[in-house]
Amino acid sequence: LKSRGVDAVASHPFPEHWKNQLMENSALYRRIPNELKGNLHQLTNVFLSKVEFRHGLIEAGEFGEENMILVASEACVLITGRDYQDFRNLELVELRVNPIRQQTSLITKDKIYLGQASPCTVWLHWESAKDESAEGNSGLNLILHEFAHVMDFADDGRAQGYLGEAGSQEARNWEVLLEEEFPKLVEAHTRGADYVIPPYAMTTGPTNITLRGLEKSRPEFFTCATEVFFERPVRLKRECPKVYEALKAFYNLDPVQWDNGEITSESPAV
């Protein structure tokens, strides 16, 4: 199929047992409207033809076909309203048994990472990824998070939370949004509020030089907001309407309309 081109791969029938596996293991897949699933299946086929999976080689883990299908499908939810160009640089996915521990200093505790992404590689702590995909309404989804980073990297190789081509109106709109919404996020978590976007979104990256001088990048806001956009859309739209509308325009999807949004009802933030 690959020798006949992308169209041949995309149009290849999506096996029924893959659909059954996704219905069993992915709460997000169960919520996606049927009219979107055809495109999702085509994108998943392309993903599986282009991306290498490294599994069973790291910490002697055993990973089956259903694990690759779950990763590919949930990753491709992000581009169902867009196209595969967002993943054009992606080459490798690694599934790991153990998280990565990174020593920061001799006196502080090691940092533990459940996933990481670069422009061409994603690795995932498999137990965490699988459990979050099965739950589907926690606002945490490791697969969505790391592949959103891949989309952020795609244009300029940097994860900074400005989407779209550098210098475009879309990128400027994201920058304005961050300037407005990031302080709200910090203020809410500082006073201990139950804010819909999780506190990890406050993480800042290395200092970089912009037109305004030296500043910290904020690479996790977009990825964390993406998780709640798909898993807690009703609450995100209610509490952070500008963030919801920006993500709706970017992804060209409206998860609030999928099975009435969340799987379960939620209380508003305090």
Side-chain angles (χ1 to χ4, degrees), residues 7-75:
D7 289 343
V9 172
S11 61
H12 190 68
F14 199 77
E16 287 298 320
H17 72 280
W18 288 5
K19 297 176 186 177
N20 294 336
Q21 289 167 1
L22 289 170
M23 288 295 289
E24 180 179 354
N25 298 318
S26 172
L28 181 57
Y29 182 82
R30 292 194 293 271
R31 286 181 51 232
I32 294 172
N34 288 333
E35 58 266 26
L36 294 178
K37 283 183 176 173
N39 192 39
L40 175 61
H41 294 158
Q42 290 189 349
L43 289 165
T44 303
N45 281 341
V46 174
F47 186 107
L48 291 166
S49 75
K50 288 181 173 290
V51 178
E52 176 189 355
F53 277 79
R54 185 176 297 162
H55 51 92
L57 302 178
I58 299 172
E59 298 110 359
E62 295 294 334
F63 303 100
E65 175 191 73
E66 69 274 11
N67 306 124
M68 293 183 283
I69 304 307
L70 178 61
V71 171
S73 178
E74 291 214 343

Side-chain angles (χ1 to χ4, degrees), residues 82 155 161-178 246 249-250:
R82 296 172 59 85
D155 179 56
Y162 299 160
L163 278 295
E165 294 184 5
S168 68
Q169 185 60 51
E170 185 179 30
R172 288 192 290 269
N173 290 344
W174 271 102
E175 187 172 5
V176 170
L177 179 75
L178 268 176
F250 176 75

